[in-house]
Amino acid sequence: MPWGDWNLIEPGSVINESGRYLQLKWAGQSDAAQTSVPKLTGWRAEWEGTGVNIAMINTSSMSCLDVVQELARLSGYQIGFDSEGTFFFKQRPALSEASLKLTENDIISVESVSGGADKLYNRVSVNFGNYSCIVDDFTLGLPRPNLIDKYGLKELSVASGALLPAQNANLARACAPSIYKEAGRLKKRAVLICRFLPQIELGDVIEVDFAPHLSGNMTVEGLEFNLNDWTLRLDLCSWES
């Protein structure tokens, strides 16, 4: 990078440049008589990138399913099979319109409804190779009472030593916050028995209008078709916290 093209970086700012060098400018100060000599005893800079290249992964002792499951843990993706038996590996639903609306005309019965505390994790510990990262409401500096105060410590541990070489990039720090964003949200959960709806697939966002039991957008986390009585069993969780 040419010396005349340096850009000032403010604390906490986002670095949009593609250069590979960082320049430190330090102004030491003394008294008027210069009776003391200013010294720089330490300096530290931290920054994170939005992408990373992994040179090599170790899959020698893993099946294809093992590899896909490990990648899903790294990225927070969803994996499964659609209604036609096709395997999918995709991002979790983004904020968009529901693909289908379920009303009392579609829902036969409500098998269960819960507040979701049994599947809530309020601390995420991620360890990939030589790197580890812990995220919870304390590390994020969120106000108290936080989720640990309310529900006690419920930790989710994620490790992928079998896939990533120990010396590879610090993916733990990148993955832990995104995993906590999903695991640390209290989501209402429900199991419904519906009429046969083959167009519904895993990962779909659907709107449920079944007052007074359920209402709002929910994500399909599990489904089971019963061909004996042509019904559909849906495992749902609230899509918006």
XYZ file of all heavy atoms in Angstrom, residues 92-98 182 185 187-188 203-206 216-220 236-241:
199
model
N -31.268 -20.648 7.538
C -32.532 -20.526 8.243
C -33.378 -19.436 7.592
O -32.848 -18.538 6.950
C -32.292 -20.208 9.723
C -31.604 -21.351 10.447
C -31.436 -21.071 11.930
N -30.777 -22.173 12.589
C -31.389 -23.279 13.006
N -32.697 -23.395 12.849
N -30.726 -24.253 13.581
N -34.702 -19.514 7.743
C -35.574 -18.554 7.062
C -35.224 -17.116 7.402
O -34.941 -16.785 8.556
C -36.973 -18.912 7.578
C -36.864 -20.331 8.042
C -35.472 -20.500 8.541
N -35.233 -16.264 6.386
C -35.049 -14.838 6.594
C -36.408 -14.193 6.836
O -37.457 -14.839 6.736
C -34.373 -14.219 5.377
N -36.380 -12.907 7.192
C -37.633 -12.204 7.450
C -38.383 -12.016 6.132
O -38.043 -11.188 5.311
C -37.352 -10.852 8.104
C -36.661 -10.916 9.465
C -36.391 -9.512 9.987
C -37.515 -11.678 10.464
N -39.423 -12.803 5.936
C -40.216 -12.733 4.714
C -41.627 -13.207 5.025
O -41.940 -13.599 6.156
C -39.595 -13.598 3.612
O -39.533 -14.953 4.042
N -42.478 -13.158 4.039
C -43.849 -13.589 4.232
C -43.923 -15.102 4.437
O -43.118 -15.858 3.896
C -44.694 -13.181 3.027
C -44.822 -11.680 2.815
C -45.603 -11.010 3.923
O -46.488 -11.670 4.506
O -45.349 -9.829 4.210
N -44.916 -15.537 5.214
C -45.141 -16.961 5.400
C -45.592 -17.576 4.083
O -46.297 -16.954 3.286
C -46.196 -17.179 6.489
N -29.661 -17.960 17.868
C -30.758 -18.900 17.698
C -31.054 -19.667 18.980
O -32.196 -19.782 19.406
C -30.434 -19.884 16.569
C -30.438 -19.266 15.185
C -31.802 -18.759 14.782
O -32.816 -19.396 15.146
O -31.870 -17.722 14.100
N -32.780 -17.782 22.213
C -34.092 -17.148 22.091
C -35.167 -18.093 22.608
O -35.207 -19.270 22.248
C -34.401 -16.778 20.643
C -33.584 -15.606 20.127
C -34.178 -15.052 18.855
N -34.206 -16.029 17.777
C -34.845 -15.834 16.615
N -35.514 -14.724 16.425
N -34.804 -16.755 15.689
N -38.513 -19.619 22.398
C -39.469 -19.775 21.302
C -40.606 -20.693 21.719
O -40.377 -21.788 22.244
C -38.770 -20.380 20.076
C -37.602 -19.576 19.533
C -36.967 -20.296 18.362
C -35.761 -19.547 17.825
N -35.138 -20.255 16.691
N -41.818 -20.247 21.487
C -42.972 -21.104 21.733
C -42.929 -22.279 20.765
O -42.602 -22.132 19.588
C -44.271 -20.326 21.543
C -45.535 -21.174 21.762
C -46.799 -20.370 21.529
C -46.990 -19.355 22.627
N -48.293 -18.651 22.481
N -38.394 -26.478 7.330
C -37.821 -25.151 7.203
C -38.789 -24.092 6.714
O -38.458 -22.906 6.735
N -39.974 -24.488 6.275
C -40.954 -23.511 5.807
C -41.428 -22.627 6.959
O -41.524 -23.070 8.107
C -42.172 -24.212 5.200
C -41.915 -24.729 3.798
O -40.847 -24.414 3.247
O -42.780 -25.446 3.269
N -41.731 -21.379 6.632
C -42.371 -20.475 7.577
C -43.855 -20.450 7.249
O -44.243 -20.167 6.115
C -41.786 -19.060 7.491
C -42.537 -18.105 8.414
C -40.311 -19.074 7.854
N -44.688 -20.781 8.234
C -46.132 -20.793 8.014
C -46.808 -19.916 9.053
O -46.302 -19.731 10.168
C -46.708 -22.224 8.068
C -46.472 -22.852 9.445
C -46.108 -23.095 6.976
C -47.120 -24.216 9.597
N -49.730 -16.554 14.820
C -48.443 -15.985 14.452
C -47.655 -16.888 13.530
O -48.070 -17.992 13.176
N -46.477 -16.419 13.133
C -45.602 -17.165 12.236
C -44.786 -18.203 13.004
O -44.267 -17.908 14.075
C -44.658 -16.223 11.503
C -45.364 -15.381 10.464
O -46.451 -15.720 10.012
N -44.755 -14.272 10.087
N -44.657 -19.391 12.431
C -43.895 -20.461 13.047
C -43.100 -21.196 11.972
O -43.468 -21.203 10.794
C -44.803 -21.428 13.809
C -45.720 -20.765 14.826
S -46.534 -21.927 15.949
C -45.218 -22.253 17.122
N -41.987 -21.812 12.403
C -41.120 -22.554 11.494
C -41.358 -24.055 11.642
O -41.508 -24.549 12.765
C -39.640 -22.263 11.796
O -39.417 -20.865 11.726
C -38.732 -22.955 10.798
N -41.377 -24.755 10.530
C -41.552 -26.206 10.538
C -40.210 -26.855 10.858
O -39.284 -26.815 10.053
C -42.081 -26.709 9.188
C -42.236 -28.235 9.215
C -43.410 -26.051 8.848
N -43.558 -27.418 15.347
C -43.394 -26.012 15.001
C -42.714 -25.262 16.129
O -42.824 -25.628 17.306
C -44.759 -25.356 14.730
C -45.650 -26.024 13.682
C -47.023 -25.341 13.668
C -45.022 -25.959 12.309
N -42.007 -24.201 15.784
C -41.492 -23.286 16.794
C -41.721 -21.865 16.312
O -41.781 -21.597 15.106
C -40.001 -23.528 17.087
S -38.869 -22.918 15.817
N -41.874 -20.964 17.262
C -42.167 -19.582 16.898
C -41.004 -19.022 16.090
O -39.836 -19.226 16.411
C -42.409 -18.737 18.141
O -41.280 -18.755 18.995
N -41.301 -18.320 15.056
C -40.312 -17.854 14.097
C -39.804 -16.478 14.477
O -38.675 -16.122 14.217
C -40.956 -17.849 12.730
C -40.139 -17.283 11.619
C -38.921 -17.732 11.193
C -40.467 -16.179 10.799
N -38.477 -16.975 10.134
C -39.416 -16.027 9.859
C -41.551 -15.325 10.731
C -39.422 -15.027 8.892
C -41.562 -14.344 9.770
C -40.505 -14.200 8.864
N -40.636 -15.690 15.130
C -40.255 -14.356 15.552
C -40.293 -14.287 17.070
O -41.269 -14.680 17.696
C -41.206 -13.306 14.968
C -41.191 -13.254 13.455
C -42.339 -12.431 12.901
O -43.464 -12.602 13.386
O -42.086 -11.630 11.997
N -39.197 -13.814 17.671
C -39.145 -13.725 19.124
C -39.798 -12.429 19.578
O -40.005 -11.517 18.795
C -37.701 -13.766 19.596
O -36.959 -12.710 19.040
